[in-house]
Amino acid sequence: MRQLIDNDYLTMLSRLLIGGMFISASFYKIIEPADFAKSIWQYHMIPGSLINLMALILPWLELLIGLALIFGFAYRGAILWANMLLGVFIIALISTIARGLDIDCGCFKAGESATAPAWDALWFDLVAMFFAVQLWIGKSSRWRFRLDLINRGCGG
Amino acid sequence: MVLFKQLMTLLILSVVLAFGSNLVLPNSIPFVGEYRSISSSGEPIVPPSAELGDPPFIDLNRARFEYDLGTAIFLDSRSPEEFDCGTIPGSINIPFEYMPDGDLTEYLDSAFSGAAFDKTIINYCSGEECDLSLYMGRFLNTSGYTNVMIFFGGSREWEQAGFEVERRVKCDN
């Protein structure tokens, strides 16, 4: 089991899946922050004064996490962010389902154009969490861009 | 310590990019939203005449949120006289009953100042006794506007909640 968790190829697959997911989730929200603000508002979980800040910052954080996972810079930090965000998303979706709110998750698109119902998004996030946790506990360190090694003149 | 540095680096970079992009990109929003929280049922008023395929109906909470967000067009479908008596501030007036015949593409485009077809339009009239917003919503949908919503509580529910109303003339009622 340990060998599987530490497998270089499984780790790379997880990085591409989670990284790709975060990158693709960020684009529309960066371009249309007002739509994303509406999606956040619909959850009724965030104080009004923080909605816009979250709508502006979260998509960029998602983009950077995705890039960091795929290219392997700020690697452990990106994995921890990914796990924390997925944890928050899962809690928010469970809360939405428990309160019977009929809203779209705002995961990839946002506002009225979003299409993923809460249950679908929850299953999707739970599967993503599996790969994100594998990245956290796995020990593979191949194919990572490490600034400290480049500074010492031996990249890779 | 390295982990904390990485977490903070990603966060600070995100904040910088968020603020920078919001200054540059066309669809910017205020950094801090001033949204009022309203204690209402949260259920939109839906008229009995509503049909499947009608634009979505929104409640006062959502209407107020859109107003505070400031990116939607508020459209009052009543006559100019009623519009002048009191309307949601910043609304435009397209009187449904007085709209010209024929192809209204240019008319609507001009009324909406060339807004894109997916622009959020909050459409309303007086309140529950008024179906103009419903007819206007259907008309806008068929005219290609894809993000039309009907606030059926209308200007009355807005005013009863204590929100500001724009009056151009003094009226009896």
Side-chain angles (χ1 to χ4, degrees):
Chain A
M1 186 66 180
R2 186 73 237 180
Q3 266 187 324
L4 179 68
I5 292 170
D6 294 340
N7 183 278
D8 291 335
Y9 294 99
L10 177 65
T11 300
M12 195 62 213
L13 177 70
S14 296
R15 285 168 60 184
L16 290 173
L17 284 174
I18 302 296
M21 182 189 87
F22 273 105
I23 290 171
S24 63
S26 69
F27 284 141
Y28 184 82
K29 299 175 199 164
I30 288 173
I31 297 166
E32 298 289 351
D35 280 355
F36 187 42
K38 288 175 205 175
S39 291
I40 296 171
W41 176 79
Q42 287 180 327
Y43 282 88
H44 297 298
M45 291 176 79
I46 307 290
S49 55
L50 297 181
I51 289 176
N52 283 15
L53 277 175
M54 193 171 165
L56 289 167
I57 295 169
L58 188 58
W60 282 105
L61 185 59
E62 289 180 329
L63 180 64
L64 289 177
I65 290 169
L67 292 172
L69 287 177
I70 289 174
F71 294 105
F73 64 87
Y75 186 66
R76 297 292 292 172
I79 294 172
L80 187 53
W81 266 123
N83 275 284
M84 288 193 298
L85 287 185
L86 283 169
V88 170
F89 296 160
I90 288 168
I91 290 168
L93 288 165
I94 290 172
S95 152
T96 302
I97 293 165
R99 286 179 290 160
L101 294 179
D102 181 23
I103 60 172
D104 288 310
C105 77
C107 310
F108 288 88
K109 291 196 98 181
E112 264 56 54
S113 51
T115 50
W119 270 112
D120 291 357
L122 179 61
W123 288 119
F124 188 87
D125 282 353
L126 285 170
V127 172
M129 192 83 189
F130 170 82
F131 289 100
V133 169
Q134 185 268 325
L135 286 176
W136 180 247
I137 59 178
K139 289 190 167 50
S140 168
S141 59
R142 280 183 76 181
W143 302 307
R144 275 161 54 180
F145 174 85
R146 289 186 55 188
L147 204 59
D148 54 337
L149 292 181
I150 287 178
N151 289 343
R152 281 183 230 148
C154 48
Chain B
M1 193 61 196
V2 173
L3 182 62
F4 181 73
K5 262 167 109 176
Q6 291 181 352
L7 285 172
M8 292 313 292
T9 303
L10 289 168
L11 181 62
I12 291 167
L13 211 52
S14 305
V15 172
V16 171
L17 287 167
F19 277 66
S21 68
N22 198 47
L23 293 173
V24 175
L25 290 175
N27 298 326
S28 62
I29 57 175
F31 291 113
V32 179
E34 293 175 6
Y35 303 112
R36 286 203 193 188
S37 54
I38 303 159
S39 55
S40 77
S41 68
E43 289 294 322
I45 299 168
V46 179
S49 49
E51 294 170 3
L52 206 66
D54 279 342
F57 292 88
I58 61 169
D59 69 337
L60 179 66
N61 261 312
R62 178 62 186 272
R64 181 70 210 196
F65 173 79
E66 294 286 354
Y67 182 81
D68 289 335
L69 185 60
T71 56
I73 294 173
F74 275 71
L75 167 60
D76 191 330
S77 308
R78 296 173 295 169
S79 69
E81 292 77 25
E82 289 172 293
F83 176 74
D84 287 342
C85 278
T87 190
I88 297 174
S91 297
I92 61 166
N93 180 219
I94 303 180
F96 182 78
E97 288 174 316
Y98 302 112
M99 284 204 301
D101 294 328
D103 181 10
L104 297 186
T105 309
E106 278 185 32
Y107 175 82
L108 292 174
D109 191 53
S110 164
F112 294 139
S113 304
F117 281 96
D118 62 352
K119 178 91 173 170
T120 303
I121 298 171
I122 312 293
N123 172 33
Y124 66 95
C125 52
S126 304
E128 290 177 56
E129 79 288 355
C130 167
D131 276 342
L132 293 173
S133 57
L134 177 61
Y135 302 142
M136 177 65 91
R138 288 173 180 165
F139 173 72
L140 290 176
N141 255 1
T142 56
S143 302
Y145 290 89
T146 57
N147 209 357
V148 179
M149 288 176 244
I150 300 174
F151 170 41
F152 208 71
S155 59
R156 184 174 307 112
E157 191 182 8
W158 183 270
E159 193 170 0
Q160 281 172 351
F163 298 152
E164 56 273 45
V165 171
E166 188 177 352
R167 297 184 204 283
R168 290 176 176 77
V169 293
K170 278 194 174 180
C171 303
D172 293 336
N173 51 352

